[in-house]
Coordinates of all heavy atoms in Angstrom, one line a residue:
Chain A
K1 N -26.6 -20.9 -3.2 CA -26.1 -19.7 -3.8 C -24.6 -19.8 -4.0 O -23.9 -20.3 -3.1 CB -26.4 -18.5 -2.9 CG -25.9 -17.2 -3.4 CD -26.3 -16.1 -2.5 CE -25.7 -14.7 -3.0 NZ -26.0 -13.6 -2.0
N2 N -24.1 -19.4 -5.2 CA -22.7 -19.4 -5.4 C -21.9 -18.4 -4.5 O -22.4 -17.3 -4.3 CB -22.4 -19.0 -6.9 CG -22.8 -20.1 -7.8 OD1 -23.0 -21.2 -7.5 ND2 -23.0 -19.7 -9.1
S7 N -9.1 -15.5 1.8 CA -8.4 -15.2 3.1 C -6.9 -15.1 2.8 O -6.4 -15.7 1.8 CB -8.6 -16.4 4.1 OG -8.1 -17.6 3.5
I13 N 3.5 -7.7 4.2 CA 4.8 -8.4 4.1 C 5.9 -7.4 3.7 O 5.7 -6.3 3.2 CB 4.7 -9.5 3.0 CG1 4.5 -9.0 1.6 CG2 3.7 -10.6 3.4 CD1 4.5 -10.0 0.5
N18 N 7.9 -13.9 0.0 CA 6.9 -14.6 -0.7 C 5.6 -14.6 0.1 O 5.6 -14.4 1.3 CB 7.2 -16.1 -1.0 CG 8.5 -16.2 -1.7 OD1 9.0 -15.3 -2.4 ND2 9.2 -17.4 -1.5
C19 N 4.4 -14.8 -0.5 CA 3.2 -14.9 0.2 C 2.2 -15.7 -0.6 O 2.4 -15.9 -1.8 CB 2.6 -13.5 0.5 SG 2.0 -12.6 -0.9
S28 N -21.2 -23.9 -8.7 CA -21.5 -25.1 -9.4 C -22.5 -24.8 -10.5 O -23.5 -24.1 -10.3 CB -22.0 -26.2 -8.5 OG -22.3 -27.4 -9.1
P29 N -22.4 -25.4 -11.7 CA -21.2 -26.2 -12.2 C -20.0 -25.3 -12.5 O -20.2 -24.3 -13.1 CB -21.7 -26.9 -13.4 CG -22.8 -26.0 -13.9 CD -23.4 -25.4 -12.7
N32 N -14.6 -21.8 -14.7 CA -13.2 -21.4 -14.6 C -13.0 -20.5 -13.4 O -14.0 -20.0 -12.8 CB -12.7 -20.7 -15.9 CG -13.5 -19.4 -16.2 OD1 -13.5 -18.4 -15.5 ND2 -14.3 -19.5 -17.3
R34 N -10.6 -17.2 -12.0 CA -9.6 -16.1 -12.4 C -9.1 -15.5 -11.1 O -9.8 -15.3 -10.1 CB -10.2 -15.0 -13.2 CG -10.5 -15.3 -14.6 CD -11.0 -14.0 -15.3 NE -11.6 -14.3 -16.6 CZ -10.9 -14.5 -17.7 NH1 -9.6 -14.4 -17.6 NH2 -11.5 -14.8 -18.8
W35 N -7.9 -15.0 -11.2 CA -7.3 -14.1 -10.2 C -7.1 -12.7 -10.8 O -6.5 -12.7 -11.9 CB -6.0 -14.6 -9.6 CG -6.2 -15.7 -8.6 CD1 -6.1 -17.0 -8.8 CD2 -6.4 -15.5 -7.2 NE1 -6.3 -17.7 -7.7 CE2 -6.5 -16.8 -6.6 CE3 -6.5 -14.4 -6.3 CZ2 -6.7 -17.0 -5.3 CZ3 -6.7 -14.6 -5.0 CH2 -6.8 -15.9 -4.5
K37 N -5.8 -8.6 -10.2 CA -5.1 -7.6 -9.4 C -5.8 -6.2 -9.6 O -6.0 -5.8 -10.7 CB -3.7 -7.5 -9.8 CG -2.9 -6.5 -9.0 CD -1.4 -6.3 -9.6 CE -0.7 -5.3 -8.7 NZ 0.6 -5.0 -9.4
K57 N -1.1 -22.4 -12.9 CA -0.9 -21.5 -14.0 C 0.0 -20.3 -13.5 O -0.3 -19.8 -12.4 CB -2.2 -20.9 -14.5 CG -2.2 -20.0 -15.7 CD -1.9 -20.7 -17.0 CE -3.0 -21.6 -17.5 NZ -4.1 -20.8 -18.1
T63 N 1.8 -17.3 -9.3 CA 1.5 -18.7 -9.6 C 0.2 -19.0 -9.0 O 0.1 -18.9 -7.7 CB 2.6 -19.6 -9.2 OG1 3.8 -19.3 -9.9 CG2 2.2 -21.1 -9.5
A68 N -9.8 -28.6 -7.9 CA -11.2 -28.6 -8.2 C -12.0 -29.6 -7.3 O -13.2 -29.5 -7.1 CB -11.4 -29.0 -9.7
D69 N -11.3 -30.6 -6.7 CA -11.9 -31.6 -5.8 C -12.3 -30.9 -4.5 O -13.4 -31.1 -4.0 CB -11.0 -32.8 -5.6 CG -10.9 -33.6 -6.8 OD1 -11.8 -33.6 -7.7 OD2 -9.8 -34.3 -7.0
K71 N -12.3 -27.6 -4.2 CA -12.8 -26.3 -4.5 C -12.0 -25.2 -3.8 O -12.5 -24.3 -3.2 CB -14.3 -26.2 -4.2 CG -15.1 -27.2 -5.0 CD -16.6 -27.0 -4.8 CE -17.4 -28.0 -5.6 NZ -18.8 -27.8 -5.5
I77 N 2.7 -15.4 -4.6 CA 3.5 -14.3 -5.1 C 5.0 -14.5 -4.7 O 5.2 -14.6 -3.5 CB 3.0 -12.9 -4.7 CG1 1.5 -12.8 -5.1 CG2 3.8 -11.8 -5.3 CD1 0.9 -11.5 -4.6
A79 N 9.0 -13.4 -4.4 CA 9.9 -12.2 -4.4 C 9.1 -10.9 -4.5 O 9.3 -10.2 -5.5 CB 11.0 -12.4 -5.4
S80 N 8.3 -10.6 -3.6 CA 7.3 -9.5 -3.7 C 8.1 -8.2 -4.0 O 9.2 -7.9 -3.5 CB 6.5 -9.4 -2.4 OG 7.3 -9.2 -1.3
Q81 N 7.4 -7.3 -4.7 CA 7.9 -6.0 -5.0 C 6.8 -4.9 -4.5 O 5.7 -5.3 -4.2 CB 8.1 -5.8 -6.5 CG 9.0 -6.8 -7.1 CD 9.2 -6.7 -8.6 OE1 8.5 -5.9 -9.2 NE2 10.0 -7.5 -9.2
S83 N 5.4 -2.8 -6.0 CA 4.3 -2.6 -6.9 C 3.2 -3.7 -6.8 O 2.2 -3.7 -7.4 CB 4.8 -2.6 -8.4 OG 5.5 -3.8 -8.6
D84 N 3.5 -4.7 -6.0 CA 2.5 -5.8 -5.8 C 1.5 -5.4 -4.8 O 0.5 -6.1 -4.6 CB 3.2 -7.1 -5.2 CG 4.1 -7.7 -6.3 OD1 3.8 -7.6 -7.5 OD2 5.1 -8.4 -5.9
F104 N -17.7 -12.9 -7.5 CA -16.5 -12.3 -7.0 C -16.3 -12.5 -5.5 O -17.2 -12.4 -4.7 CB -16.6 -10.8 -7.3 CG -16.5 -10.4 -8.7 CD1 -17.5 -10.5 -9.6 CD2 -15.3 -9.8 -9.2 CE1 -17.4 -10.1 -10.9 CE2 -15.2 -9.4 -10.5 CZ -16.3 -9.6 -11.4

Side-chain angles (χ1 to χ4, degrees):
Chain A
K1 181 181 177 182
N2 290 339
S7 62
I13 62 174
N18 303 336
C19 68
S28 182
N32 59 68
R34 286 186 192 277
W35 282 95
K37 179 186 180 189
K57 184 72 72 78
T63 299
D69 292 332
K71 299 186 178 181
I77 304 175
S80 61
Q81 301 176 357
S83 59
D84 292 331
F104 288 77

